[in-house]
Amino acid sequence: MRLVVDLNRCQGYAQCAFLAPDVFAMHGEESLLYNPLAEEERHEEVARAVAACPVQAILVEADPSAEAPRTRPGGDR
Ligand code: SF4
């Protein structure tokens, strides 16, 4: 599966890193690292992380061949 975290939206609450530690990790207090091409078997924990993110910053695409929107920290504004 393909993941995109909107880092403009992410507030570093770390819910995702807590619920899906194989996919998301906090680096320091506020910056988030994640695997944008997480394995399909991580689907359930990723779904929990998506549901738990207080700002809905995590987007998931099931089809790895689909085009993902690109987001960069501080990119849009
Ligand atoms: S749960 Fe959402 S806001 Fe918190 S670190 Fe993860 S993506 Fe960012």
Side-chain angles (χ1 to χ4, degrees), residues 13 20 25 27 35 41 43 48-49 57:
Y13 292 120
H27 182 69
N35 177 1
E41 62 251 34
H43 184 83
R48 272 185 231 128

Side-chain angles (χ1 to χ4, degrees), residues 5 9-17 26 32 49 52-55 57-58:
V5 176
R9 211 176 243 255
C10 172
Q11 298 295 313
Y13 292 120
Q15 300 293 336
C16 55
M26 296 307 294
L32 175 70
C53 178
V55 293
I58 307 167

Side-chain angles (χ1 to χ4, degrees), residues 1 7 23 25-26 34 45-47 52 55 58-59 62 65 72 75-76:
M1 102 196 67
L7 295 172
V23 180
M26 296 307 294
Y34 66 100
E45 50 192 282
V46 169
V55 293
I58 307 167
L59 305 173
S65 65
R72 280 180 288 144
D76 294 331

Side-chain angles (χ1 to χ4, degrees), residues 24-71:
F24 303 94
M26 296 307 294
H27 182 69
E29 291 276 305
E30 289 182 359
S31 63
L32 175 70
L33 301 176
Y34 66 100
N35 177 1
L37 296 172
E39 299 85 7
E40 283 301 324
E41 62 251 34
R42 302 276 174 237
H43 184 83
E44 270 192 35
E45 50 192 282
V46 169
R48 272 185 231 128
V50 169
C53 178
V55 293
Q56 288 87 48
I58 307 167
L59 305 173
V60 178
E61 291 182 2
D63 179 5
S65 65
E67 276 288 305
R70 296 207 154 222
T71 54

